[in-house]
Amino acid sequence: MQLERLVIRARLRSPWESVDLGIALAREHWWPLFVVWLLPASVVFAGAALLLWDSPTWGLLLVWWLKPVFDRLPLYITSRALFGESASVGGALGQFWAQNRRDWIAWLSWRRLSSTRSFDMPVTLLEQSSGSARTARLALLHRKHAGAASWLTLAGVHVEQFLSLAVVVLIFLFIPAELKAQFVPEELDVQWWYLLTSDHLLLRWCLNFVSLLAMATVAPFYIASGFCLYIGRRVELEAWDLEIQFRQLRARVLDRGARRRSSGATVAQLLLPLLLVMGLVAEVPTVRAAESPAEAREQIDTVLAGEDFHRMEEVSGWRFKTAETRSEQFPQWLIQLLEWLENLFSDSDPQQRDGDWGPLLATVIEVFLWMVGVFLLAYLLWRYRAPILASLRPRPGGESEGSPPATLFGLDVRPQSLPRDVCAEVLRLWYDGQHRAGLGLLYRATLAYLIERYGFEFGQQLTENECALLVQRRVAERQQPGDSSLNELVQQLTRAWQQLAYAHRVPDGERVRAMCGRWEEVFVREP
């Protein structure tokens, strides 16, 4: 396999990254993939229309059941496009029988309803595996990406249905009203539904052809995404990324060696005449072999007595002096310490002890463990001194740990920041066109009153929905009069604020006035 010809970067990808890669690949080669899937399917569809004209449902079911046969040609083109090879539509159609020669009975029978068809098909088509080898290979591939392949199949089925329905509705919208009145009864509320429920054979075959076009449109994305899932799994299992790097490294080394050999050969050709001339001019020393063992030993002794075998070097450096060996003795100070500890922690008379060192040893171990504990405590205090000091340091602005927050979600919820008449200011801002400021004032006033009057503790980490959920739980636990109105106001105001702040959907003025009226009923009373 020529991995260096991959048109994609060989790296580890998540299953959904592989699906996105397949969609991008299908978009680039969509037209040939669409044509090679549609042409064989159209032949079957035309034959079903001729033979099964009175049964349009069976004709469409036949085309749908033969999908594994039609999927092989787009997979053939996609597999070559991934390695930089171009396959024409005519060349792919010429491979129709060759690509459908293997395992076609299995794919049209017990494998037909497999939810991982796009992920499993490359094992049959590209690896040419069958039997136990195919089963073992699929078991290895399915350990990770089988779930994504199943979700891909489910998504493809729904996209086909939605696309078919969208085309039917679009066609119905372009039908003139006069023509609709002739075929569609006026009492039907959803008039386009008549196109799907009509018993007219020609109309039903037209709808089946729309479904065929929808299947041909979605098939390239489904096949390419499943194939890229398969490629992503192989990259992970066979380390294609590492193999490509090693191949590139080997190519660079071989290229560098070839350049060196080429330059070395050039230099050798230039120096060869000079070496020949020097060899003719230079005097070659004569070497005479020894004629007897005694003469050989004499030559050896002469060589060994030469300067080459009697070289001396002086090396200077620092090293420790050789310490005098002495017999190790037990330190006297340690003996005195043990005796002192024994006298300190022993309850009996030192003169009555029989040399029992057990209690003394236990005492020493206890003291040692206490020392270790103190050392560990000191280390932990030193190690985490920064967070400890930060927790002891007073908060900026004089806020204590239990003080209410000054801001929530970027809104100032301090009571002193609110106007005296909240609802009047909200309506004034609203009718001046400052919708976000007006509704924001009403929402932060609600939060401020919830914190001040009802004692809610809203942390900075909470979201708007979580704050509303806290109010709902408090109301459900207390079950006091008036709490239901408070809960309804908070839930309604939270939804309105989120729609305006995040979705930019402005509520109508009546809804805002109603919330202001309810706000006054809930909060404008004696706490």
Side-chain angles (χ1 to χ4, degrees):
M1 184 178 296
Q2 298 177 352
L3 297 180
E4 62 276 1
R5 299 180 60 182
L6 275 174
V7 298
I8 63 172
R9 181 183 175 188
R11 64 173 181 86
L12 296 180
R13 290 181 173 86
S14 66
W16 303 116
E17 285 183 304
S18 299
V19 171
D20 289 340
L21 179 63
I23 292 175
L25 189 63
R27 289 177 59 187
E28 184 177 355
H29 303 278
W30 181 82
W31 178 249
L33 299 179
F34 171 77
V35 172
V36 298
W37 197 97
L38 181 61
L39 289 180
S42 299
V43 173
V44 176
F45 183 81
L50 293 176
L51 300 177
L52 303 172
W53 179 255
D54 295 332
S55 302
T57 303
W58 286 104
L60 181 62
L61 179 63
L62 176 63
V63 175
W64 176 82
W65 194 264
L66 293 177
K67 269 188 175 184
V69 176
F70 308 142
D71 290 349
R72 300 198 178 196
L73 293 186
L75 180 59
Y76 172 80
I77 294 179
T78 305
S79 62
R80 276 145 183 80
L82 191 69
F83 288 90
E85 300 179 10
S86 60
S88 62
V89 174
L93 292 175
Q95 293 287 327
F96 181 82
W97 300 111
Q99 297 299 320
N100 286 280
R101 187 169 49 194
R102 178 182 293 271
D103 286 355
W104 63 273
I105 297 179
W107 280 107
L108 294 180
S109 54
W110 64 86
R111 296 180 194 166
R112 175 59 188 88
L113 299 179
S114 173
S115 61
T116 58
R117 185 177 79 246
S118 62
F119 185 49
D120 300 343
M121 186 72 76
V123 178
T124 300
L125 182 63
L126 304 180
E127 298 185 15
Q128 303 290 317
S129 298
S130 60
S132 58
R134 179 184 179 276
T135 303
R137 182 63 170 170
L138 288 180
L140 181 62
L141 295 175
H142 281 197
R143 289 180 183 176
K144 280 195 174 182
H145 290 6
S150 300
W151 281 108
L152 176 64
T153 302
L154 184 62
V157 170
H158 284 80
V159 170
E160 285 181 2
Q161 294 176 354
F162 293 153
L163 186 60
S164 302
L165 186 61
V167 172
V168 171
V169 174
L170 181 64
I171 294 175
F172 184 82
L173 292 177
F174 280 94
I175 298 177
E178 295 80 5
L179 189 60
K180 292 180 184 178
Q182 298 179 7
F183 296 97
V184 182
E186 296 181 355
E187 61 271 11
L188 290 178
D189 295 332
V190 184
Q191 296 181 351
W192 56 266
W193 186 257
Y194 179 78
L195 297 176
L196 303 179
T197 58
S198 174
D199 294 333
H200 195 277
L201 291 179
L202 180 60
L203 180 59
R204 293 184 62 183
W205 276 106
C206 291
L207 294 177
N208 289 349
F209 184 72
V210 171
S211 300
L212 175 64
L213 292 178
M215 288 187 287
T217 303
V218 177
F221 299 99
Y222 174 68
I223 297 167
S225 298
F227 175 65
C228 286
L229 273 175
Y230 163 79
I231 291 297
R233 186 71 175 124
R234 287 197 62 176
V235 169
E236 180 180 2
L237 292 174
E238 302 172 15
W240 283 9
D241 50 348
L242 298 180
E243 184 175 351
I244 290 175
Q245 294 295 330
F246 282 131
R247 288 187 180 186
Q248 293 176 352
L249 179 61
R250 179 176 179 272
R252 288 198 298 269
V253 171
L254 292 178
D255 183 60
R256 189 180 305 168
R259 290 198 301 269
R260 288 180 178 177
R261 286 192 298 270
S262 176
S263 60
T266 304
V267 173
Q269 292 175 0
L270 295 176
L271 294 180
L272 182 58
L274 181 59
L275 293 176
L276 292 176
V277 173
M278 292 178 62
L280 294 176
V281 175
E283 296 182 358
V284 180
T286 58
V287 179
R288 186 177 63 84
E291 296 180 356
S292 62
E295 186 178 357
R297 281 194 298 270
E298 182 180 356
Q299 293 180 0
I300 292 173
D301 293 339
T302 303
V303 173
L304 292 176
E307 296 181 357
D308 293 336
F309 289 92
H310 292 81
R311 298 178 59 184
M312 299 178 64
E313 294 183 0
E314 294 183 1
V315 179
S316 61
W318 294 92
R319 64 182 178 84
F320 289 103
K321 292 183 178 181
T322 305
E324 297 180 359
T325 58
R326 61 180 181 180
S327 58
E328 297 292 339
Q329 298 179 356
F330 205 69
Q332 186 65 28
W333 63 270
L334 185 57
I335 296 176
Q336 295 176 358
L337 177 63
L338 294 177
E339 291 178 353
W340 178 76
L341 291 175
E342 182 182 10
N343 296 331
L344 180 63
F345 294 99
S346 179
D347 296 333
S348 61
D349 189 1
Q351 297 180 356
Q352 298 178 358
R353 288 191 297 269
D354 300 333
D356 187 7
W357 290 79
L360 176 61
L361 183 60
T363 303
V364 173
I365 294 176
E366 181 182 359
V367 172
F368 176 76
L369 292 178
W370 276 106
M371 294 174 61
V372 170
V374 172
F375 175 78
L376 182 60
L377 178 61
Y379 170 76
L380 292 176
L381 291 175
W382 174 259
R383 174 68 176 79
Y384 298 101
R385 64 188 184 279
I388 293 175
L389 293 176
S391 63
L392 298 177
R393 189 179 301 117
R395 300 178 118 192
E399 294 185 8
S400 61
E401 185 67 26
S403 61
T407 59
L408 285 175
F409 329 118
L411 302 175
D412 191 352
V413 293
R414 294 175 301 171
Q416 57 269 26
S417 66
L418 302 176
R420 179 169 299 180
D421 191 345
V422 174
C423 291
E425 183 65 18
V426 168
L427 294 177
R428 185 189 69 80
L429 292 172
W430 187 267
Y431 288 115
D432 286 347
Q434 304 180 33
H435 300 144
R436 184 183 181 92
L439 193 59
L441 174 59
L442 186 61
Y443 182 62
R444 66 187 181 91
T446 303
L447 294 176
Y449 276 68
L450 288 174
I451 295 172
E452 181 184 10
R453 293 189 178 182
Y454 293 88
F456 281 94
E457 297 181 358
F458 297 135
Q460 295 288 348
Q461 75 280 3
L462 299 181
T463 62
E464 292 94 333
N465 287 333
E466 290 173 340
C467 293
L469 184 60
L470 285 178
V471 176
Q472 184 177 3
R473 290 177 179 175
R474 176 79 67 85
V475 169
E477 293 174 358
R478 292 177 49 176
Q479 295 182 354
Q480 294 185 1
D483 284 351
S484 59
S485 300
L486 173 65
N487 182 38
E488 293 176 2
L489 171 65
V490 171
Q491 305 302 326
Q492 184 180 6
L493 183 57
T494 300
R495 288 193 296 269
W497 168 248
Q498 288 179 328
Q499 291 175 358
L500 176 60
Y502 304 119
H504 304 288
R505 295 170 57 185
V506 180
D508 53 15
E510 289 294 331
R511 184 180 178 186
V512 175
R513 283 195 298 271
M515 286 189 292
C516 287
R518 178 167 294 183
W519 192 92
E520 290 182 343
E521 293 176 2
V522 172
F523 292 112
V524 183
R525 64 172 183 263
E526 291 297 329

